[in-house]
Amino acid sequence: MSSMQTSNLEKSGTYTLGDRTVKRLGYGAMQLAGKGVFGPPKDRAEAVAVLREAIESGVDHIDTSDFYGPHVTNQIIKEALHPYKDDLVIVTKVGAVRGEDASWNPAFSKEALTQAIHDNLRNLGLDVIEVVNLRSMHGTYGPEEGSLEEPLSVLADLQRQGLIKHIGLSNVTSKQVADGRKITDIVCVQNLYNLAHRADDPLIEELAAAGTPYVPFFPLGGFSPLQSSTLSDVAAKLGATPMQVALAWLLQRAPNILLIPGTSSRAHLRENLAVADITLSAETVAELEGIGSAKPE
Ligand SMILES: NC(=O)c1ccc[n+]([C@@H]2O[C@H](COP(=O)([O-])OP(=O)(O)OC[C@H]3O[C@@H](n4cnc5c(N)ncnc54)[C@H](OP(=O)(O)O)[C@@H]3O)[C@@H](O)[C@H]2O)c1
């Protein structure tokens, strides 16, 4: 990897995550499992190559879970990157298990959470996990109110035992974050957010004021990547791709946003990591922000 690409990545800036500082452009590993995030990937060698290129390009924040595959994604991360560079922060998540039919099932009992932490440690080859997000299953891809006290207390116990350094929350409401902070420090929040899904605008501001990173999942739209003629028009004008513009908009949206776009291909990885070079004018931002309020195309 050329040094030019590394310095470009640094242009996106950094933010505090737990007691570490990470670049705002990271990588989400969910796309490295098979179709439907189940079983092995089509091209395991490419998956390993994507991870290695991400790190060589300067990525120091990887998002994963042992329920991707299950186990597969973490095992590929370990194969590709272990022993890990000191500056790499691996963030995982717990709260679900996969059924044999690929279903995603809530797994909030003490036994299930403890098992999940041990599975993550073993499959990633770690003695301690830097950050674990408790993924609320009260809602599927959007938060719903409901108590997280019991599972969060289990994670706080595992934290006291030294298996987890920091705890974050995923798919949660502002109230769940505030309630969580009474149990343990909440070092990040990971919710669905992108140009077309802006429900978390107030939460992002709230977290920014507290210095807490907000990590959007599905930054590119996830299973159905963002499609909009406005996005395509803006991208064409800038000589960029629509996906790059979607990421550049997130980087400019708030300083506490950390990006973890997912991809199974090095070509897309390169595209995604190049967005630190894109600056959107106020006029372009206004044009793009029309997308969130427009009807789906
Ligand atoms: N907490 C949660 O509940 C939750 C839920 C979902 C995801 N996540 C995390 O968030 C991360 C990001 O979400 P995601 O991976 O699901 O969705 P995403 O980043 O919004 O989009 C990924 C999709 O976009 C495609 N893509 C990526 N870069 C592209 C490019 N430059 N041009 C065209 N297509 C591109 C990918 O296909 P290719 O593989 O072909 O590039 C894939 O289909 C995940 O990896 C995971 O770590 C968390």
Side-chain angles (χ1 to χ4, degrees), residues 195 198 228-242 244-250 252-253 278-292:
L195 250 177
R198 306 274 309 266
S228 130
S229 51
T230 308
L231 189 57
S232 303
D233 290 350
V234 167
K237 265 188 263 168
L238 292 171
T241 69
Q244 286 181 314
V245 173
L247 293 177
W249 174 80
L250 283 169
Q252 278 183 228
R253 171 65 190 80
I278 300 173
T279 307
L280 306 173
S281 67
E283 195 189 5
T284 303
V285 168
E287 199 179 336
L288 289 171
E289 296 199 338
I291 294 175

Side-chain angles (χ1 to χ4, degrees), residues 41-88:
K42 222 173 35 216
D43 186 346
R44 191 181 174 104
E46 179 66 10
V48 167
V50 165
L51 285 161
R52 290 189 177 150
E53 183 161 329
I55 296 301
E56 282 161 20
S57 306
V59 165
D60 58 12
H61 170 207
I62 292 181
D63 185 81
T64 185
S65 175
D66 210 58
F67 50 67
Y68 298 157
H71 316 301
V72 171
T73 296
N74 280 348
Q75 287 164 354
I76 295 175
I77 290 174
K78 182 176 168 195
E79 176 188 337
L81 305 178
H82 196 278
Y84 303 112
K85 284 175 76 172
D86 289 344
D87 70 351
L88 176 63

